[in-house]
Amino acid sequence: MTGIIADTKAMQYHIGLSAQMLCGAQYVFLPGDPDRVNPIAAFLDDARELTQHREYRSALGYVDDIPVLVMSTGIGAPSTVIAIEELARLGVIHFIRLGTTGAIQSHVHLGDLIISEGAVRLEGTSGHYAPIEYPAVPSLALTLKLIEATKLRDYPYQTGITCSSDSFWPGQERYDSFSGYVPRHLQGSLEEWQRLGVLNFEMESSALFTIARTFGLHAASLCGVIALRTQSEAVQQNVYAQVKERLAIVAREAVRLHHQAHGTPL
Ligand code: URA
């Protein structure tokens, strides 16, 4: 791997973190929402907040003696990729997205966890790193550990293909936007993704998978279902707390399992 900065005190411009502040953390949990950082970090040992800069709030904690960073990405691919770029320079190797999502298949339920096996690149940012023919696939090893950890807890879950869109409204074929208009090329897109077996919509995984792969790093995505798009366009805020807890518990366990099986590559 290339590009790790030598000066451990040097601050990364967007995220406001230095290698020294990470205490050697090679795993990061990536929720989108800054308000989810501390509640997720609370499931780690000895958690403490590090900093907040723009949409990037960060906290550090431990799984046994493994240091783990929790940092928000903000919404969407551009800010997520800035996070990966700068965290990679600080020595982070394993990136686990902990997000929320809208399910588009009728067999998926509110609160279910979705572990992505791959993602449709319906966003522009990853195209700045690799041509569109390049697949957005997660780390198999990390993904298998997310599945194992979810099974250990007996949480309901699905694995499959995620669609990562650049917009919450037209890109996910929502008509309750300000204008109510979905451009023609996106009309019918929800049904098309359904028929192609896609499980869910969110906005970050495909860029995360693509950029991590092109950097030789490892990424996976675990999302909790907060909208059932087969029934409505609305998000159901009453499942937030349950989803947040499930994401944090599974991610913690997955790090333990992954570290046990693979150690921490230097
Ligand atoms: N996040 C999304 O991008 N879409 C949803 O429907 C829910 C969360």
Side-chain angles (χ1 to χ4, degrees):
M1 193 174 43
T2 57
I4 295 180
I5 54 170
D7 180 357
T8 61
K9 290 189 181 147
M11 205 62 87
Q12 291 298 304
Y13 175 69
H14 297 92
I15 63 177
L17 291 171
S18 66
Q20 191 181 46
M21 292 164 80
L22 261 59
C23 297
Q26 295 189 341
Y27 290 92
V28 63
F29 296 163
L30 298 168
D33 183 353
D35 282 346
R36 255 185 273 138
V37 168
N38 288 334
I40 288 172
F43 285 84
L44 301 173
D45 306 330
D46 302 326
R48 64 188 160 89
E49 189 163 342
L50 292 180
T51 192
Q52 163 121 36
H53 202 231
R54 301 173 185 241
E55 58 267 72
Y56 306 109
R57 180 177 293 165
S58 50
L60 187 77
Y62 292 82
V63 176
D64 305 328
D65 58 350
I66 311 158
V68 176
L69 179 71
V70 184
M71 193 181 88
S72 51
T73 60
I75 297 175
S79 63
T80 300
V81 169
I82 286 172
I84 303 164
E85 278 273 5
E86 295 192 351
L87 291 173
R89 291 168 198 197
L90 301 183
V92 176
I93 295 172
H94 304 292
F95 298 78
I96 304 178
R97 165 162 158 72
L98 301 180
T100 53
T101 188
I104 64 171
Q105 298 290 345
S106 55
H107 65 276
V108 185
H109 303 103
L110 280 179
D112 282 6
L113 297 180
I114 293 187
I115 299 165
S116 303
E117 294 179 70
V120 178
R121 292 171 58 194
L122 205 66
E123 39 74 30
T125 311
S126 66
H128 294 191
Y129 287 80
I132 197 66
E133 294 83 1
Y134 189 93
V137 285
S139 150
L140 182 60
L142 214 45
T143 301
L144 288 173
K145 294 307 172 197
L146 286 176
I147 295 171
E148 196 178 331
T150 305
K151 283 182 175 166
L152 278 174
R153 285 283 169 168
D154 225 8
Y155 292 146
Y157 76 99
Q158 311 286 335
T159 67
I161 298 172
T162 292
C163 180
S164 305
S165 135
D166 251 351
S167 60
F168 186 81
W169 278 275
Q172 302 183 15
E173 209 186 347
R174 278 188 164 89
Y175 292 87
D176 63 342
S177 62
F178 183 68
S179 72
Y181 183 65
V182 172
R184 274 190 215 162
H185 74 282
L186 291 168
Q187 290 177 24
S189 59
L190 189 147
E191 187 193 344
E192 180 155 270
W193 296 127
Q194 280 173 330
R195 293 183 74 130
L196 295 173
V198 169
L199 284 181
N200 62 312
F201 278 130
E202 50 81 89
M203 299 178 66
E204 293 82 12
S205 294
S206 65
L208 170 65
F209 297 164
T210 305
I211 277 70
R213 281 278 167 170
T214 63
F215 287 0
L217 302 173
H218 310 282
S221 173
L222 176 72
C223 287
V225 175
I226 60 160
L228 293 180
R229 297 298 314 287
T230 48
Q231 297 175 14
S232 132
E233 295 186 345
V235 295
Q236 307 299 328
Q237 305 222 26
N238 55 336
V239 289
Y240 264 38
Q242 182 193 51
V243 157
K244 205 160 50 186
E245 183 174 308
R246 287 179 172 178
L247 295 175
I249 289 172
V250 169
R252 182 194 159 100
E253 186 64 15
V255 165
R256 201 182 56 75
L257 293 167
H258 185 270
H259 193 263
Q260 252 172 22
H262 302 279
T264 307
L266 294 172

